[in-house]
Amino acid sequence: MVRFKHRYLLCELVSDDPRCRLTLEDRVLVGLIRDTIARVHGTFGAAACSIGFAGTIRTCQKFLIQYNRRQLLILLQNCTDEGEREAIQKSVAKSCLLEESSEEEGASDSGGEEAAEAMAS
Amino acid sequence: MEFEESWSQRIMRIDPSDYHYMKVCLEFEEHGIGLNAAQFKQLLVSALQELFGEVGAALPFDVLTYEEKTLKAILRVCNSGFVKLWSSLTMLGSYKGNKCAFRVIQVSPFLLALSGNSRELVLD
């Protein structure tokens, strides 16, 4: 039986203007992507991607948060300067707090344990 | 009673054609609207662009013959783009504000088959 399979693409937005990162919102990005698909693939493409599109962006965001948290831990282990170390420790602690509050909503994560181990070392 | 022996032969093609040929006719709701060959091809490209976007508009197809008086044409398209072209013709509804529709008269992987159409035969 042929099933619909989901594919996730994690992309990085590259721009000349560094300020555009601050103004770019979730909904704006979704709208831009939909417009581009409509232009390149027409009415057929826009209809094909309209189902469950917003949900896939959320899943990519969740993965990106986990990935960035792991990168922070790696940086923490490798950094030599004390000031940098404190700054990274603060960022990791902040991300763990956010993670705990999202865990209450029901998302399962093992990042918190890794962070606690790294901070202790 | 004697039965005459008869035999029949069936020929199978091993290498089918890479293209599909379509005999189509453009019908307008109002009479008196004409298109030349270039405008006709542009109409088809814009129909593909409407439904399938830039990718669809880049689909290579050829207008082999075109009759300006009857607005009939024979199109050739590669097999991979056949469904896209036919569905674009189906969804085309207007040209420069005039309502129109494409009638697909005949379709075949072989051009020779378009020379005869049993549906156009009239019984006397």
Side-chain angles (χ1 to χ4, degrees):
Chain A
M1 194 178 91
V2 176
R3 284 186 174 192
F4 258 119
K5 292 181 182 174
H6 293 280
R7 294 285 179 272
Y8 299 96
L9 289 164
L10 186 60
C11 312
E12 182 187 353
L13 204 63
V14 177
S15 159
D16 290 334
D17 183 14
R19 286 169 297 171
C20 86
R21 208 204 311 172
L22 301 167
T23 54
L24 199 64
E25 273 175 33
D26 216 5
R27 280 161 295 152
V28 171
L29 191 61
V30 169
L32 282 174
I33 292 175
R34 257 202 207 123
D35 288 342
T36 308
I37 290 178
R39 182 167 49 87
V40 174
H41 290 286
T43 318
F44 179 79
C49 82
S50 65
I51 306 163
F53 185 62
T56 68
I57 287 205
R58 196 164 152 68
T59 313
C60 283
Q61 279 179 333
K62 280 188 203 166
F63 175 82
L64 197 55
I65 290 169
Q66 278 187 23
Y67 175 77
N68 283 340
R69 194 179 295 127
R70 284 197 200 111
Q71 290 298 101
L72 274 177
L73 295 174
I74 292 168
L75 277 174
L76 187 62
Q77 286 168 355
N78 293 342
C79 77
T80 50
D81 184 21
E82 193 54 42
E84 273 181 21
R85 207 178 175 82
E86 276 183 30
I88 294 179
Q89 276 180 345
K90 271 187 201 162
S91 314
V92 172
K94 198 172 161 195
S95 74
C96 289
L97 282 171
L98 288 170
E99 184 220 340
E100 275 171 18
S101 65
S102 74
E103 261 184 21
E104 285 166 8
E105 291 167 26
S108 64
D109 214 88
S110 64
E113 295 168 6
E114 292 174 17
E117 281 178 20
M119 298 269 277
S121 64
Chain B
M1 256 193 321
E2 279 182 2
F3 288 108
E4 283 183 10
E5 280 187 9
S6 62
W7 59 275
S8 63
Q9 192 179 30
R10 194 167 115 178
I11 299 168
M12 294 273 292
R13 275 193 70 94
I14 299 168
D15 55 337
S17 164
D18 295 327
Y19 298 101
H20 263 81
Y21 299 86
M22 304 174 73
K23 193 193 275 187
V24 300
C25 174
L26 180 57
E27 267 183 34
F28 280 96
E29 202 178 31
E30 291 173 11
H31 294 287
I33 300 168
L35 281 87
N36 63 25
Q39 288 170 327
F40 184 77
K41 176 134 195 206
Q42 177 55 32
L43 177 63
L44 293 178
V45 171
S46 66
L48 278 165
Q49 185 171 21
E50 173 88 37
L51 191 53
F52 293 104
E54 298 291 338
V55 170
L59 181 70
F61 69 95
D62 304 303
V63 180
L64 298 180
T65 66
Y66 176 66
E67 290 166 37
E68 205 168 320
K69 281 184 194 164
T70 55
L71 295 175
K72 278 192 185 174
I74 294 184
L75 312 176
R76 179 181 74 166
V77 65
C78 56
N79 289 334
S80 56
F82 177 53
V83 171
K84 280 188 179 172
L85 182 62
W86 196 341
S87 49
S88 307
L89 295 179
T90 308
M91 299 303 284
L92 182 72
S94 65
Y95 170 69
K96 286 188 181 171
N98 299 305
K99 281 192 185 175
C100 63
F102 266 100
R103 307 288 180 220
V104 177
I105 301 167
Q106 211 178 351
V107 160
S108 172
F110 308 109
L111 188 53
L112 189 56
L114 296 188
S115 64
N117 187 7
S118 59
R119 291 183 183 191
E120 284 172 357
L121 293 176
V122 176
L123 290 172
D124 288 330

